[in-house]
Amino acid sequence: QVQLVESGGGLVQAGGSLRLSCAASRSISSPNVMGWYRQAPGKQREMVATISSSRSTNYADSVKGRFTISADNAKNTVYLQMNSLKPEDTALYYCHAKSFLLAIDYWGQGTQVTVSS
């Protein structure tokens, strides 16, 4: 049983920055992938950024060059540094983790990010 807890969301002006954190209650069995997804009202949930156990990263085209995902394995924590925020980034951001070996998915409760114009 793994629990994911997000933090760092808030209200910022366009052009500002936020750093989201996702702390796992314990390490995820390898191979694995962890990442961030977001969902705005009336829209489908979309992938924002992922990082694998081999530390390979992927980003949605809409956030490339602005967001950076990283991981601190010793702390079982994944981060999302969000710079140059735009109103279009407003959404509920969810942390996600997948263990391929165990075929298990984990989701956090979400943290709200609101960007004002």
Side-chain angles (χ1 to χ4, degrees):
Q1 184 75 31
V2 175
Q3 292 177 292
L4 304 177
V5 180
E6 305 100 329
S7 62
L11 173 63
V12 298
Q13 291 184 311
S17 298
L18 283 174
R19 190 191 193 203
L20 306 184
S21 297
C22 172
S25 59
R26 64 173 176 81
S27 63
I28 309 299
S29 300
S30 296
N32 66 61
V33 62
M34 297 188 70
W36 294 91
Y37 291 71
R38 67 186 182 187
Q39 187 168 26
K43 298 186 65 178
Q44 291 284 94
R45 186 173 300 185
E46 64 175 348
M47 185 275 290
V48 177
T50 63
I51 183 167
S52 71
S53 48
S54 64
R55 296 181 175 81
S56 177
T57 60
N58 282 287
Y59 297 91
D61 288 341
S62 60
V63 307
K64 285 181 179 177
R66 299 189 298 121
F67 292 8
T68 302
I69 189 169
S70 61
D72 185 335
N73 293 334
K75 297 181 179 180
N76 296 324
T77 301
V78 174
Y79 305 94
L80 184 68
Q81 180 64 48
M82 308 164 67
N83 298 326
S84 302
L85 283 162
K86 305 175 180 179
E88 307 93 270
D89 296 317
T90 295
L92 188 63
Y93 284 69
Y94 296 92
C95 182
H96 170 258
K98 179 188 290 292
S99 169
F100 293 105
L101 182 64
L102 300 178
I104 297 175
D105 288 273
Y106 306 97
W107 289 94
Q109 293 299 307
T111 184
Q112 179 67 38
V113 172
T114 302
V115 184
S116 62
S117 59

